[in-house]
Amino acid sequence: MTDPAVEPAPAPTGPAPRGLDLERLAAYLATHRPELAAGPLSARLIAGGKSNLTYLLRCGDREVVLRRPPLGHVLATAHDMAREHRVISALAPTEVPVPRTLLLCPDDDLIGAPFYLMEKVDGVVYRSRSQTDPLTDGQRRDLALAMMDALAALHLVDPAKVGLADFGRPDGYLARQVRRWEGQLDRSRSRPLSGIDELRDALAASVPEGANTGRIVHGDYRLDNLLASVDPVAVRAVIDWEMATLGDPLADLGLLLTYWDVLGDSDAAEGNPVADGLGSRAGFPAGAELIDRYAGRSDVDVGPLHWHVALGCFKLAVICEGIHYRHTLGQTLGEGFDRISELVAPLVEHGLHAVRER
């Protein structure tokens, strides 16, 4: 029995944003998801993403979202579309709010990189003071607590029950994190970075036991990696799963506190797209209240978090340096990348202070 002939895809409308080939994409959809190829295809880059690129596709009368790796300087293992697609698909039946996945294309021949499609979720990504300042005190507090509830729900998921038992190697996770981000740093160095090697060495020499290891970790959990609403207050979807794996949930908490308390209280973060609008300076509860909320809804022993905050500072400093490097090469899309480099020094300074705490 032969397959019916595939109808040619309607011609795309408008110019293709950088990083997409709309004609080839339309032809691919006509074969693999014909319901998305019933009308003309158009696309626009969704502003705000600092690593993987996110586009809103209009497929006739329907809108969906496409995710692909960044252009140019791509660090090994850091932008795996298949892993991101897999974890979102696995979490769909759980209490963790995630978008519904629609298609994975693992080949890079079509648009120059692997990509996947997911449903468009209605919600707001709160990433700047211009968005969070108009919220009431109650809305900001409830939004922050809802963020912690969603994280607790993630860490309560049994990986084996959702088909993710082999999604990572929990043993030695924290030590591997230090080595991994050291390697990423070496691939992104483009200027002297005072103190960052000292921070790396201090982390490597004091890796904790990791008693909570074996949970699903998001890897970059923060307010602007959520689609949320405030009327009513709810987390509609957790997004940007490119660094998800099996590991120690305290790494998620340490990185969140880095965004919230470290960058949220830094002059360098004011108006910066990575951290603007976060923390008590922006009218949200302090990090300690967030951890208390999480602890009340999770079975994870939060324990001392100093080392994990230091790891968060190191990791985020390396990420910012990688973005800065891509920006110097002209390989970033969107606004605000010219200020990313300013965040590295305060992150390193706070990380050194945190790793020395007892």
Side-chain angles (χ1 to χ4, degrees):
M1 182 177 179
T2 59
D3 292 332
V6 175
E7 291 291 329
T13 61
R18 193 177 173 200
L20 286 187
D21 184 325
L22 289 183
E23 289 190 4
R24 299 191 71 183
L25 179 58
Y28 186 83
L29 294 179
T31 300
H32 296 277
R33 291 302 296 255
E35 75 277 13
L36 298 179
L41 183 67
S42 62
R44 66 175 176 86
L45 180 71
I46 298 176
K50 302 300 177 289
S51 186
N52 285 342
L53 302 177
T54 306
Y55 302 86
L56 182 65
L57 300 184
R58 179 171 286 278
C59 310
D61 295 331
R62 184 175 177 184
E63 290 183 327
V64 299
V65 173
L66 181 147
R67 289 267 288 171
R68 60 148 289 165
L71 307 177
H73 175 68
V74 176
L75 298 176
T77 75
H79 308 281
D80 190 331
M81 294 293 95
R83 283 181 62 83
E84 190 168 333
H85 178 271
R86 180 185 174 190
V87 69
I88 295 174
S89 301
L91 290 171
T94 73
E95 294 185 10
V96 183
V98 291
R100 184 170 66 92
T101 55
L102 302 172
L103 172 72
L104 170 67
C105 177
D107 301 323
D108 59 10
D109 295 336
L110 192 73
I111 64 169
F115 68 91
Y116 72 93
L117 299 182
M118 59 185 169
E119 69 176 355
K120 176 178 178 275
V121 177
D122 291 331
V124 176
V125 176
Y126 288 98
R127 60 170 55 94
S128 69
R129 289 289 296 269
S130 64
Q131 294 172 292
T132 59
D133 282 351
L135 303 180
T136 67
D137 291 343
Q139 287 173 326
R140 283 192 289 267
R141 182 176 186 275
D142 289 347
L143 182 58
L145 298 184
M147 174 180 69
M148 302 313 295
D149 292 348
L151 184 60
L154 171 65
H155 292 162
L156 286 171
V157 173
D158 183 338
K161 290 184 178 179
V162 295
L164 294 176
D166 62 343
F167 193 62
R169 295 179 294 134
D171 291 343
Y173 166 76
L174 295 174
R176 281 199 313 278
Q177 282 287 293
V178 178
R179 293 195 300 271
R180 174 189 177 181
W181 291 103
E182 176 186 9
Q184 308 289 43
L185 172 63
D186 290 341
R187 296 179 183 93
S188 298
R189 287 182 190 266
S190 61
R191 57 182 181 147
L193 297 171
S194 176
I196 201 165
D197 294 318
E198 183 183 351
L199 175 56
R200 173 206 59 205
D201 292 345
L203 285 166
S206 57
V207 178
E209 292 276 335
N212 300 296
T213 289
R215 312 293 181 103
I216 303 169
V217 296
H218 180 275
D220 194 22
Y221 194 83
R222 62 184 196 262
L223 183 63
D224 65 339
N225 273 340
L226 309 178
L227 284 161
S229 65
V230 293
D231 189 18
V233 172
V235 174
R236 300 295 183 188
V238 182
I239 55 177
D240 288 12
W241 292 84
E242 63 189 88
M243 294 190 223
T245 189
L246 299 187
D248 192 325
L250 296 188
D252 274 345
L253 294 179
L255 185 61
L256 179 62
L257 289 177
T258 300
Y259 283 113
W260 205 259
D261 286 345
V262 180
L263 290 183
D265 195 37
S266 170
D267 291 336
E270 187 171 347
N272 197 297
V274 168
D276 188 31
L278 302 179
S280 56
R281 177 184 284 194
F284 286 93
E289 184 174 350
L290 302 191
I291 299 303
D292 286 345
R293 175 73 169 207
Y294 171 90
R297 281 160 173 74
S298 170
D299 61 352
V300 173
D301 178 9
V302 296
L305 287 169
H306 307 305
W307 189 92
H308 300 278
V309 170
L311 175 63
C313 289
F314 180 59
K315 175 178 173 179
L316 190 51
V318 173
I319 291 172
C320 289
E321 193 61 22
I323 295 170
H324 165 71
Y325 182 43
R326 289 201 302 275
H327 178 66
T328 63
L329 298 176
Q331 295 171 345
T332 52
L333 301 180
E335 302 290 331
F337 294 102
D338 55 327
R339 295 197 57 210
I340 293 290
S341 62
E342 299 172 20
L343 298 177
V344 176
L347 283 166
V348 171
E349 181 181 359
H350 192 95
L352 286 169
H353 176 74
V355 78
R356 294 165 180 156
E357 283 193 54
R358 292 291 182 269

